[in-house]
Amino acid sequence: MTEFVFVSAERIPLGQKILADKLEERGVKTKIISLATLFGKTFDEKGEDSFRERKRVENFKQGVDAYFRGVRPKIEGAQFFGMTFFDTIGEKETSFVISRAIKKYFPNSTLIAGGPAFNSNPKAFLKESGADYALRGEAENTLPKLIELLSKRKEGNLSEIPGVMFRKEGRIYSHPINAKLTAEEIQNSKFTYVKQGNIAFTYSERGCKNACIFCTIPRKGNPIMIKTETIIQGLEQLAQNKEIKQISFMDDHFFSDTKRANELLNEIIKRKLNKRFIFDCAATIESLIKNGKPNLLFMRKIKRAGIIGMEIGLEALNDNMLKEIKGNRYTKVQAIEVLKALNKIGISANNYLLAGGINTRARDFMESYYSALRLEMKGTANFYTTAMIGATKQTPIHRAAEKENALFTNTGRNVKPTKEGRTGFRLAIPKDEELRKLFIEKLRKRQGRQFSSKDLPRVIKMGQESKDRVMQKYARKLQRISGEHEVQFKLLENVSEHIRAHVAAREMQKQGIKFTIPNLKKFLQNPKIKEAVNALASKTYYSYVNQVIASRKLKGIERLKAIQKLRKTTGIGTNYEFNSKKYNPKLRR
């Protein structure tokens, strides 16, 4: 019978898998259950903006209730439940809903919480989550100890467990020290992974030496690596599973130690694991620079080892912003040179961008925003939408925002820090008057904290109305980009609609229905058929983009064959001239 159930809304519950293995070693039978599918269906369409829609939140609550009613017979005897909490937007609408449902459907069980939220705002999350116990820090040793005491396997004092929190006589007891693994324990960790589809997610190190102003990572300082041989042996074992095609390293910074990275890459190449798998990982710009220039030899080795994609915490393309947010570890010019080099070598880079810190000026924001759009339009790199910085408690950005009265809600209301014992997501908004006005206007219109190409008119207007000549210059440049973007967007809409019609016609033909516009409309009135057609059309669209990219590298008869294949599979040749590389399906971890 399952004794401990981990409940996850994450798609990749790697941390819970590590803890589950530790409990299993102590004789505690575990199970991991996931509500990630429900979460995705409810909130993925609009991202963070979805959390403000009452109907979606209510649908999620109903879905959670239905899920636990269905799964209850299978885990009825579970004594303990575990959840991970993050101090981010949407926790009240998601994780708290799940934790309360656990207490509702399993009232005699014990809920144990952990995660980054208990490093930033521990008492508030213990109170609002309804958890019975919480563990701060790295819980590989403390969770088994807690379970042994609660299940009466051993005797001892709960309050002596590092990082433990619980209610005692109407008050919250909190051990003063966060739990932390020793360097030796990390180095000797076993290879752990989570499989989803044909991808295996794993990790090779703990910690991050970069002290970014917004980060809540519990282990700061030089990362500690798991032994290289352990990682390689784990990969060789995964190679026996024919279903697994891709390995995703979930480290905060895979290339933090260049010497160790070279050692691992060399072993991957030596043992021909690069022929068996493709890889992706997270990286930083400075790890790909040597003597102020892109480290081309290192990048080529990365490519040769089978790493096809990276997620990079670029954060900004303006030197003033980089100085404030990243501590001056590289410049805008260096970042762009690295992105161009990665693109030329053939490594896809998906970059995170922030809208600015407390001291960011409007002209700084416009330069960074423009530079990212320009690089993306050229097909040099991919960027996630630029986001206002979330100010989590206990971080430098939160302290600075508190001092400068720059904390705002996600509806644009200027507020004081959340009171002790309460949760609440806060944004750090720049002091610059023009930029603050732009941010607050967007938030008050309930348009979210992320700036995409849809916000071009608003940003252009800010530059045009400014007396700052630099801002006026970037407004003109953004206007030109706006025109290019609109043309390409319309072309892609045409491609998408053409492919959708082609797919629908093919499906109608299978059912013996003649393709006419009235018949097509009637055919797509069936919700299941419409959903199936849209899914197939989306898959065909991305296939088309990939084939167009590949065909442009071919010549003569080979190119003609590729175009014939395009026409056969999508109904379109290569008659659409758009920057296809920008719209290549982006690698998402």
Side-chain angles (χ1 to χ4, degrees):
M1 180 183 290
T2 300
E3 187 175 356
F4 195 111
V5 177
F6 289 94
V7 183
S8 173
E10 302 172 71
R11 288 177 174 79
I12 311 156
L14 183 59
Q16 293 185 339
K17 178 65 168 64
I18 294 167
L19 294 176
D21 288 349
K22 289 291 183 182
L23 288 175
E24 293 278 354
E25 289 172 8
R26 305 285 185 96
V28 180
K29 192 171 181 182
T30 65
K31 186 179 183 69
I32 299 176
I33 60 175
S34 174
L35 288 92
T37 301
L38 173 65
F39 182 95
K41 283 183 178 179
T42 311
F43 298 115
D44 275 3
E45 184 184 354
K46 292 188 176 180
E48 290 181 356
D49 297 341
S50 301
F51 301 130
R52 293 197 302 270
E53 296 182 16
R54 290 183 181 179
K55 187 176 179 181
R56 286 182 187 271
V57 174
E58 188 57 38
N59 286 343
F60 184 71
K61 287 179 181 178
Q62 293 174 7
V64 169
D65 280 343
Y67 179 84
F68 279 115
R69 283 197 301 270
V71 80
R72 182 162 52 179
K74 300 175 184 177
I75 54 175
E76 189 69 62
Q79 296 178 33
F80 305 100
F81 284 81
M83 277 192 68
T84 303
F85 291 84
F86 299 87
D87 197 354
T88 55
I89 191 169
E91 283 296 278
K92 287 187 177 181
E93 295 83 0
T94 56
S95 294
F96 289 171
V97 169
I98 296 170
S99 63
R100 288 164 188 157
I102 291 171
K103 300 303 289 182
K104 174 183 175 181
Y105 289 99
F106 305 92
N108 298 321
S109 65
T110 300
L111 176 59
I112 302 169
F118 287 91
N119 297 317
S120 59
N121 196 3
K123 290 184 179 180
F125 271 86
L126 182 66
K127 179 181 175 182
E128 294 197 32
S129 67
D132 300 293
Y133 296 87
L135 292 169
R136 303 189 325 275
E138 296 167 324
E140 283 93 328
N141 295 326
T142 54
L143 180 59
K145 284 182 183 177
L146 179 61
I147 297 304
E148 284 176 342
L149 295 182
L150 293 176
S151 63
K152 308 296 184 184
R153 285 178 169 87
K154 289 185 179 181
E155 292 184 359
N157 189 346
L158 286 172
S159 61
E160 293 179 357
I161 298 175
V164 72
M165 297 178 66
F166 56 88
R167 294 173 184 82
K168 184 178 182 181
E169 297 175 357
R171 303 181 69 179
I172 293 177
Y173 170 80
S174 181
H175 191 282
I177 300 172
N178 282 15
K180 198 171 184 178
L181 298 179
T182 66
E184 188 178 0
E185 285 175 320
I186 294 173
Q187 290 163 356
N188 292 321
S189 296
K190 71 173 190 176
F191 181 83
T192 306
Y193 72 95
V194 171
K195 178 181 174 294
Q196 290 197 0
N198 63 357
I199 305 175
F201 298 87
T202 187
Y203 77 107
S204 69
E205 64 181 29
R206 291 279 186 95
C208 182
K209 64 182 178 181
N210 301 325
C212 298
I213 60 173
F214 51 84
C215 187
T216 60
I217 186 170
R219 180 179 282 273
K220 291 182 170 66
N222 289 327
I224 300 171
M225 287 76 177
I226 299 172
K227 291 177 180 177
T228 298
E229 187 58 28
T230 301
I231 301 299
I232 293 299
Q233 286 178 0
L235 294 176
E236 288 181 327
Q237 288 173 4
L238 288 181
Q240 306 304 313
N241 187 333
K242 294 181 179 180
E243 289 182 9
I244 297 175
K245 308 294 183 186
Q246 182 173 337
I247 306 296
S248 183
F249 285 102
M250 303 298 290
D251 307 342
D252 293 292
H253 180 1
F254 189 64
F255 305 113
S256 57
D257 184 329
T258 308
K259 183 179 178 182
R260 153 64 192 277
N262 268 303
E263 180 185 312
L264 191 53
L265 296 174
N266 287 337
E267 285 299 313
I268 287 172
I269 294 167
K270 179 182 175 182
R271 306 200 193 189
K272 299 184 178 179
L273 290 164
N274 56 330
K275 306 293 183 183
R276 174 63 181 81
F277 300 115
I278 57 173
F279 298 87
D280 72 90
C281 62
T284 59
I285 293 293
E286 66 267 26
S287 66
L288 303 172
I289 294 173
K290 186 176 182 180
N291 299 326
K293 296 289 183 182
N295 190 344
L296 298 178
L297 285 175
F298 186 45
M299 290 185 196
R300 291 187 185 111
K301 180 177 286 186
I302 290 169
K303 175 67 174 177
R304 196 161 69 252
I307 295 177
I308 62 164
M310 297 178 186
E311 289 203 339
I312 299 177
L314 177 61
E315 315 310 2
L317 284 168
N318 167 271
D319 288 338
N320 289 326
M321 292 172 70
L322 286 170
K323 184 178 180 180
E324 180 180 7
I325 297 171
K326 301 290 284 186
N328 237 5
R329 296 200 292 271
Y330 51 87
T331 65
K332 169 191 171 180
V333 171
Q334 288 174 323
I336 291 174
E337 286 179 348
V338 166
L339 294 179
K340 287 181 177 178
L342 287 171
N343 181 54
K344 188 173 181 179
I345 289 168
I347 299 173
S348 171
N350 295 313
N351 300 274
Y352 289 95
L353 286 176
L354 294 172
I358 305 299
N359 298 311
T360 297
R361 301 169 298 178
R363 58 155 62 178
D364 299 332
F365 167 79
M366 289 191 75
E367 180 186 346
S368 182
Y369 183 69
Y370 164 77
S371 300
L373 285 173
R374 182 76 269 172
L375 288 170
E376 194 163 53
M377 291 291 288
K378 287 182 176 180
T380 303
N382 304 316
F383 293 88
Y384 293 108
T385 49
T386 302
M388 302 178 203
I389 298 180
T392 305
K393 278 192 171 185
Q394 311 301 327
T395 59
I397 189 71
H398 187 279
R399 290 191 287 271
E402 185 178 355
K403 184 179 178 181
E404 298 288 349
N405 193 30
L407 288 172
F408 284 75
T409 66
N410 59 359
T411 57
R413 188 164 53 89
N414 188 203
V415 292
K416 299 293 182 183
T418 50
K419 295 179 180 179
E420 184 71 23
R422 294 186 63 183
T423 62
F425 184 75
R426 299 289 181 260
L427 296 167
I429 303 298
K431 293 186 295 183
D432 182 278
E433 288 184 12
E434 290 174 303
L435 196 54
R436 178 169 286 195
K437 181 183 175 183
L438 176 75
F439 284 22
I440 292 173
E441 180 184 289
K442 182 174 170 60
L443 293 171
R444 286 179 178 169
K445 288 183 178 179
R446 304 296 178 96
Q447 294 175 347
R449 65 175 177 135
Q450 296 170 322
F451 286 89
S452 67
S453 55
K454 292 180 181 178
D455 295 291
L456 268 169
R458 184 184 283 114
V459 178
I460 290 169
K461 184 181 177 183
M462 178 180 72
Q464 290 172 333
E465 293 177 350
S466 175
K467 294 178 182 179
D468 187 330
R469 290 187 177 180
V470 174
M471 289 176 64
Q472 292 171 7
K473 179 187 76 173
Y474 279 112
R476 291 191 294 272
K477 288 186 173 185
L478 285 168
Q479 267 189 316
R480 288 196 290 271
I481 277 190
S482 180
E484 292 174 30
H485 182 271
E486 190 174 344
V487 169
Q488 290 200 16
F489 186 75
K490 285 180 178 177
L491 283 171
L492 284 163
E493 273 190 331
N494 289 339
V495 171
S496 181
E497 285 301 312
H498 192 120
I499 288 174
R500 186 168 179 267
H502 178 78
V503 168
R506 202 164 52 197
E507 294 302 307
M508 289 169 70
Q509 187 179 27
K510 288 178 183 178
Q511 298 185 28
I513 303 171
K514 186 179 179 181
F515 181 78
T516 63
I517 298 301
N519 283 350
L520 175 63
K521 289 180 179 178
K522 188 176 179 181
F523 183 69
L524 294 176
Q525 282 176 355
N526 186 317
K528 289 186 178 180
I529 290 176
K530 186 177 180 179
E531 185 179 350
V533 167
N534 287 341
L536 187 56
S538 177
K539 185 178 179 181
T540 307
Y541 166 80
Y542 286 122
S543 172
Y544 171 81
V545 172
N546 279 328
Q547 288 182 66
V548 168
I549 294 169
S551 70
R552 288 179 178 176
K553 297 176 183 178
L554 303 175
K555 293 181 180 179
I557 191 69
E558 293 301 320
R559 178 169 167 78
L560 286 174
K561 286 180 179 178
I563 294 171
Q564 285 175 345
K565 185 181 177 182
L566 267 177
R567 290 204 173 105
K568 185 177 180 181
T569 56
T570 66
I572 312 174
T574 56
N575 50 322
Y576 283 100
E577 285 300 321
F578 60 87
N579 187 355
S580 56
K581 192 163 188 179
K582 175 182 181 297
Y583 299 93
N584 189 27
K586 299 175 184 178
L587 187 68
R588 293 288 184 258
R589 300 177 66 226

